[in-house]
Amino acid sequence: MGFLSAGKTLSWEEAQKYAKYIQEHGIIQFLNILEREKGRRNDPLMWGEEIEYIIVEVDDSKKDTRLSLRGDEILHELSKEDETSPTATAAWRPEYGSFMLEGTPARPYGDTIEHFLYIQSNMTLRRRIAQKYLKPNERVFSLTTYPLMGANNFTSPTYPVNGPTALSSYVPDEAINSHFRFRTLTANIRQRRESKVDINMPLFRDTNTTGLGNNIHMDCMAFGMGCCCLQCTFQAKDINEARLLYDQFAVIAPIMLALTAATPVLRGLLADTDVRWKVISDSVDDRAPGERGLEPLKNGQRRIPKSRYDSISTFISLHNHMKPKYNDINLVINDDAFKTLKEQGVDELLARHISHLFIRDPLVIYDDKIYIDDSTHSDHFEVDVSSPTY
């Protein structure tokens, strides 16, 4: 979901004026957090999971389904239940799509075997809670993506495409959550890259496939951020264990991606792939043409080989199993950030990791959270690290 806040968000034209300031103070805020928490040890293992759902309207008589754009309305009712119940077992948050819900346990799981017994029952309970606020013809599904996303008239209500936020030929702006962050993120990615996002996935072809070309084309952030998944978050005992977990999960993640492949249909067409990774990655690719290698570089740009949402580029663990040869990618870093981090005593691996995150411009800036106290706030650090996803 990323970093949410109240307040007005800045357009890309306005945000550019503050990008360098936000980056510089994001690094200062990171250093303040590091200093404040440097003696923290032996935190208990606490973890949680979140499930994203899509809301589907079903017409049995027509054998038809559409995405229901009532997410905000349903979330409002779910949030009221959270606030009025002292024993709430679930928490609900907005997600990118106005057809989506995000549900988590109200409290984290712990480190005992007993907590594993709670997981499935809590997942089941969350679905039941959500279902209380659905219309009789609505269902909640935990699909990786809605197979007809972007096909003709796939939402309820139906709206025209080519709205001012996404300019999509397939998806109406009304399918995007109404929160300022999501609309601004969509528009600012498009404006920074100087074009709509361009997603092309190979079309599955057989002897009966004619006249469709070779690719399934998609042109807006909703195709990626409108996907759903199960996510887990862990609290490690200290920063060293957290860095080790980061590296280990990076190795495990592609295996899990293959084992859970479940996205064979995109925009109503059968794809010659079965995972959604590249769709999501391309849907948030804000790199300018020069950064993508399509045009000469300008205005101090550098070639950036990956989208904001992609595989990791560096291992960060200090464990003795981590060999320097494993970090064999030519890492693009924010040189000023790296210099500041090193001067303040941050080790090489962590300094390179953080300065790599800060090669990206902050895309969502709130007008009332620009000039803030770096010793007590972390908004600039959060906004810069919550947009790049690895």
Side-chain angles (χ1 to χ4, degrees):
M1 175 179 66
F3 181 67
L4 289 180
S5 177
K8 178 181 175 293
T9 50
L10 303 185
S11 68
W12 178 238
E13 182 180 6
E14 298 169 311
Q16 291 179 81
K17 303 171 188 175
Y18 302 101
K20 186 172 178 58
Y21 178 89
I22 298 294
Q23 287 181 329
E24 290 173 349
H25 286 261
I27 292 296
I28 294 171
Q29 290 170 11
F30 168 74
L31 288 168
N32 288 337
I33 294 169
L34 204 60
E35 175 65 21
R36 187 168 61 245
E37 304 295 339
K38 66 182 181 183
R40 189 167 173 173
R41 299 285 188 277
N42 298 317
D43 279 3
L45 172 63
M46 301 179 76
W47 65 284
E49 40 78 16
E50 65 180 56
I51 296 179
E52 296 157 343
Y53 308 89
I54 59 172
I55 309 161
V56 176
E57 181 182 282
V58 179
D59 187 333
D60 288 324
S61 63
K62 296 181 179 179
K63 304 295 183 184
D64 187 29
T65 65
R66 297 187 182 193
L67 286 179
S68 172
L69 304 186
R70 291 202 316 116
D72 284 353
E73 180 183 337
I74 295 170
L75 183 64
H76 178 71
E77 296 301 320
L78 290 167
S79 298
K80 283 199 304 185
E81 182 171 318
D82 285 352
E83 294 165 2
T84 57
S85 173
T87 58
T89 55
W92 301 91
R93 301 290 183 266
E95 251 301 340
Y96 180 86
S98 60
F99 52 88
M100 300 172 72
L101 300 171
E102 177 183 291
T104 71
R107 288 167 292 282
Y109 304 123
D111 61 355
T112 67
I113 294 297
E114 180 184 11
H115 282 91
F116 285 101
L117 302 177
Y118 303 154
I119 300 170
Q120 186 169 349
S121 60
N122 191 275
M123 289 178 175
T124 301
L125 182 61
R126 269 177 271 162
R127 186 176 292 273
R128 288 176 182 166
I129 292 171
Q131 287 171 339
K132 291 194 300 183
Y133 301 101
L134 301 180
K135 293 179 178 179
N137 64 334
E138 289 176 335
R139 308 286 186 272
V140 286
F141 289 97
S142 46
L143 295 171
T144 55
T145 190
Y146 181 61
L148 298 179
M149 166 77 81
N152 291 335
N153 299 325
F154 69 98
T155 66
S156 177
T158 298
Y159 293 97
V161 295
N162 293 305
T165 299
L167 299 182
S168 173
S169 300
Y170 309 113
V171 178
D173 282 353
E174 287 77 8
I176 306 170
N177 189 297
S178 60
H179 190 282
F180 287 122
R181 179 185 191 274
F182 300 110
R183 300 288 177 104
T184 300
L185 189 57
T186 303
N188 287 0
I189 284 175
R190 175 175 54 77
Q191 291 169 7
R192 190 188 184 285
R193 66 177 274 123
E194 302 175 22
S195 66
K196 294 192 292 184
V197 297
D198 186 25
I199 310 165
N200 287 283
M201 299 297 288
L203 177 73
F204 179 83
R205 304 190 66 84
D206 61 19
T207 54
N208 296 314
T209 307
T210 58
L212 294 174
N214 294 318
N215 293 313
I216 303 170
H217 180 247
M218 293 159 278
D219 68 350
C220 69
M221 189 174 171
F223 283 105
M225 293 298 108
C227 293
C228 297
C229 70
L230 164 68
Q231 300 177 37
C232 293
T233 305
F234 293 84
Q235 173 178 278
K237 68 179 181 181
D238 56 33
I239 189 172
N240 288 330
E241 184 178 72
R243 291 168 68 168
L244 177 61
L245 285 173
Y246 176 90
D247 287 359
Q248 297 301 313
F249 285 149
V251 176
I252 293 171
I255 300 171
M256 296 302 297
L257 184 69
L259 291 175
T260 59
T263 314
V265 180
L266 298 164
R267 229 191 79 224
L269 300 169
L270 192 61
D272 202 14
T273 58
D274 52 10
V275 297
R276 65 204 178 108
W277 179 263
K278 189 175 185 298
V279 177
I280 300 177
S281 180
D282 288 352
S283 77
V284 293
D285 188 355
D286 71 326
R287 293 173 299 162
E291 293 168 335
R292 284 177 275 147
L294 302 178
E295 294 180 3
L297 295 168
K298 57 185 179 182
N299 301 327
Q301 293 175 341
R302 289 182 297 175
R303 175 86 168 87
I304 300 176
K306 296 181 181 181
S307 168
R308 303 180 79 95
Y309 190 117
D310 216 304
S311 57
I312 72 164
S313 297
T314 181
F315 293 111
I316 61 175
S317 172
L318 293 174
H319 194 279
N320 57 18
H321 79 265
M322 221 306 290
K323 305 295 191 297
K325 66 180 181 180
Y326 298 157
N327 281 329
D328 57 356
I329 292 177
N330 185 20
L331 196 66
V332 183
I333 63 172
N334 180 320
D335 295 318
D336 292 335
F338 180 76
K339 182 174 182 290
T340 300
L341 292 165
K342 288 293 291 178
E343 287 174 348
Q344 296 301 313
V346 178
D347 66 83
E348 181 92 5
L349 287 175
L350 187 57
R352 283 169 57 81
H353 170 62
I354 296 297
S355 59
H356 174 61
L357 297 180
F358 276 77
I359 64 172
R360 311 286 180 176
D361 285 332
L363 291 174
V364 181
I365 299 175
Y366 293 89
D367 62 350
D368 60 345
K369 292 186 178 295
I370 298 173
Y371 302 108
I372 56 179
D373 185 349
D374 293 332
S375 66
T376 57
H377 292 75
S378 59
D379 301 59
H380 297 337
F381 174 66
E382 293 281 348
V383 78
D384 227 282
V385 301
S386 67
S387 294
T389 307
Y390 300 100

